[in-house]
Amino acid sequence: MNALGKIKTKLNSLEFLLYLLGASLSLLLVGYAPSSIALGLFCIMSFRYFIVKKRKIQFNFALFLPVLLYLLFAASYFWSVDQEQTLKGLGRMVILLLIPITFTLLPIITLKNYRLIIRIFTFSNAILGVFFLSSALYNFINTGSVSVFT
């Protein structure tokens, strides 16, 4: 198998999606833009996985509840006082629609898969912790203020 075939195999695997999910969860602590990009990439790759593997949709009522909540938010547009702000809010809350749909397209996540996600989350948060502490230490050395650690 050539290198391109190996890359396609990795991109089409569930393990790759689990790594993306773990990275997405870790980036929630960093900020809005990186976590949005990671979640968008996770959704796109999940849809790709669904199409490539020709999976069947697995309906789960618990995943349908956030979709119902988003539909209620969308309906509130019609009785909203400020419809422009409501549209902005709907754009920010679209994740309530995308994530449940994404998880209905994926196979059921096993305990082994959960452990992999938690391992990725823990490892990346440890790296982020070291980065934030070293950044605070650098700022403390430059400013002498202890408040950079909070």
Side-chain angles (χ1 to χ4, degrees), residues 16 19 26-27 51 59 64-65 83 92 100 108 130 134 150:
F16 178 71
Y19 279 106
S26 297
L27 288 174
I51 292 169
F59 183 76
F64 190 63
L65 292 175
Q83 292 181 339
R92 288 181 175 219
I108 295 173
V130 169
S134 61
T150 57

Side-chain angles (χ1 to χ4, degrees), residues 3-147:
L4 190 59
K6 288 181 182 179
I7 291 172
K8 280 185 179 181
T9 304
K10 282 291 185 187
L11 287 178
N12 294 335
S13 69
L14 179 63
E15 185 177 326
F16 178 71
L17 290 175
L18 297 176
Y19 279 106
L20 276 178
L21 181 59
S24 300
L25 290 173
S26 297
L27 288 174
L28 286 173
L29 303 173
V30 175
Y32 183 73
S35 64
S36 295
I37 292 168
L39 280 172
L41 185 62
F42 172 70
C43 289
I44 290 168
M45 294 307 289
S46 296
F47 285 117
R48 183 178 187 277
Y49 178 84
F50 175 74
I51 292 169
V52 168
K53 298 292 183 178
K54 297 180 176 92
R55 296 199 36 84
K56 292 183 180 179
I57 294 176
Q58 299 172 350
F59 183 76
N60 185 348
F61 183 72
L63 289 174
F64 190 63
L65 292 175
V67 174
L68 286 176
L69 183 62
Y70 185 79
L71 293 175
L72 177 67
F73 290 162
S76 74
Y77 172 79
F78 297 108
W79 64 76
S80 176
V81 174
D82 189 357
Q83 292 181 339
E84 184 179 319
Q85 289 295 326
T86 303
L87 281 178
K88 277 186 180 178
L90 286 174
R92 288 181 175 219
M93 299 305 289
V94 76
I95 204 73
L96 285 174
L97 188 66
L98 288 178
I99 293 296
I101 292 172
T102 300
F103 277 101
T104 59
L105 302 177
L106 294 178
I108 295 173
I109 297 176
T110 63
L111 184 61
K112 180 182 174 186
N113 294 342
Y114 278 121
R115 287 185 179 143
L116 176 65
I117 293 169
I118 296 298
R119 193 173 336 124
I120 294 164
F121 180 75
T122 305
F123 181 72
S124 59
N125 282 338
I127 291 172
L128 283 172
V130 169
F131 172 73
F132 288 139
L133 279 175
S134 61
S135 173
L137 183 64
Y138 175 77
N139 288 332
F140 173 72
I141 291 171
N142 286 339
T143 63
S145 174
V146 180
S147 66

